[in-house]
Amino acid sequence: MTTVKQDVASTASAMASVKAPAAAMQPIALLDNPSSKPLAAARPAALLALLALGFRPLVADPAWALQAALPVVAAVQAAYAVVCLPAAGSQHAKPAKKPRPGEKKRAEYTGPNSIVAAVLSLLLTAIVTPAVHLLFVLFGAPFLDHVPHTMLCSAHFALLGLFPVFYTRGVDSEALVALAGASAPLDETFGALVGGVLGAWLGAVPIPLDWDREWQKWPVTIVVGVYIGSALVSKSCGALPFLYGRRLRAWKDVKQN
C-alpha cells in the first residue's frame, strides 16, 4: 500500500511539475520498445473499426451507443499510452544505480509509473469533459436538448484528443497554453487533438442540410468526424516527416499575445 501511495504521489508530482519550454517545444516521440510501433499503428485502425461496427447502433440510439463504447475506447487509449508514449516527467527521470557489493539497495526515483499516470490522466479527462461540453454548446450544440448525447460526445472527444496530451505533457500551464495556441510541435498526441477539432468542425456541416437522413441527427456526424479526424491526423503527424515536429504557430507569438 505504501508503494502504491508513493507511486501515485511521485507520478502526480511529475505530471504537475513538467515545465515549458521543454514540455511545450519538443515533439513527443514513441517509446523505443518492440510493442510501441505495432500498437501505435494498430490503434487508429482499431478505433475506426469500432466506429464502423458501432455506426448503426450510433444512428439508432446515440446515447446508448456512446455510453457502451466509452469503456472500450478508454481501455484502448490507456493501453496505447502505457505501451507507446512517455509519461509526463519521464524525461527528467534518472536510471536506477546498481548497488555496490554489500551495499543495501536504496529507493530511487526512476520516473513516473506509467499505469498510475494513465489513471490520473483518465481522471483529468473526466474532469475536463464538462468544459468540453460547454465548448460544444458555445459552438452550436443543443443547450437544453440532448444533454446526455452532448456530454457523451464530449467524453469521446476528450478521450481521443485530450487524454494523450495529459499523459505526455502533464498539466503545466505553459505547455497547455502552447497547445491551445497551436504553437506546440505536431506529433501523435497533438495531432489527435488537432484532428479531433477539425473532425468535429467538419462533422457539423451535414447536420443542417435538408437531406432528411437519419444519420444527420445530433451528434452522429460529430462523433464520426472526431474519430476519423483524430485517427488520421494523429497517425499522419507521427509518421510523416514533413508534419512531425512542425508548428502551426510560433511559440513566441503566443507568449506575446
Side-chain angles (χ1 to χ4, degrees):
M1 182 64 70
T2 303
T3 303
V4 173
K5 289 182 178 179
Q6 289 175 346
D7 284 343
V8 172
S10 61
T11 302
S13 176
M15 294 180 69
S17 62
V18 178
K19 294 297 181 183
M25 305 307 288
Q26 299 298 323
I28 302 297
L30 296 178
L31 293 175
D32 186 14
N33 63 58
S35 303
S36 62
K37 290 185 178 180
L39 182 57
R43 182 187 65 98
L47 291 174
L48 293 178
L50 178 65
L51 174 65
L53 291 173
F55 182 74
R56 294 182 68 178
L58 178 64
V59 173
D61 189 347
W64 179 87
L66 290 172
Q67 184 175 358
L70 199 60
V72 180
V73 178
V76 170
Q77 290 291 88
Y80 161 68
V82 170
V83 176
C84 303
L85 299 176
S90 58
Q91 64 270 28
H92 303 303
K94 298 179 181 179
K97 296 180 180 179
K98 292 184 179 180
R100 297 176 181 177
E103 183 182 9
K104 291 184 178 180
K105 186 177 181 180
R106 293 180 296 178
E108 295 183 5
Y109 176 68
T110 57
N113 184 298
S114 58
I115 296 177
V116 174
V119 172
L120 292 177
S121 299
L122 286 172
L123 290 175
L124 285 171
T125 302
I127 290 171
V128 302
T129 295
V132 177
H133 184 160
L134 178 60
L135 287 175
F136 272 116
V137 171
L138 292 176
F139 280 93
F143 178 48
L144 297 177
D145 297 332
H146 305 301
V147 173
H149 301 62
T150 306
M151 182 63 75
L152 287 165
C153 178
S154 303
H156 280 260
F157 176 91
L159 271 176
L160 294 174
L162 295 176
F163 167 76
V165 169
F166 289 141
Y167 182 85
T168 56
R169 299 186 183 273
V171 292
D172 177 70
S173 58
E174 288 197 52
L176 297 180
V177 167
L179 291 164
S183 66
L186 290 172
D187 52 39
E188 281 204 12
T189 61
F190 188 32
L193 178 57
V194 172
V197 172
L198 290 176
W201 180 65
L202 293 175
V205 172
I207 293 178
L209 300 179
D210 190 18
W211 292 346
D212 295 327
R213 302 292 184 181
E214 185 70 10
W215 51 262
Q216 287 179 271
K217 65 184 179 183
W218 178 263
V220 175
T221 56
I222 303 292
V223 173
V224 172
V226 168
Y227 269 78
I228 294 177
S230 178
L232 294 183
V233 178
S234 173
K235 188 60 182 174
S236 299
C237 290
L240 300 179
F242 64 89
L243 288 178
Y244 179 78
R246 292 295 182 93
R247 292 173 174 80
L248 302 177
R249 189 180 180 192
W251 170 240
K252 62 181 181 180
D253 294 339
V254 176
K255 295 195 75 174
Q256 288 174 355
N257 293 336

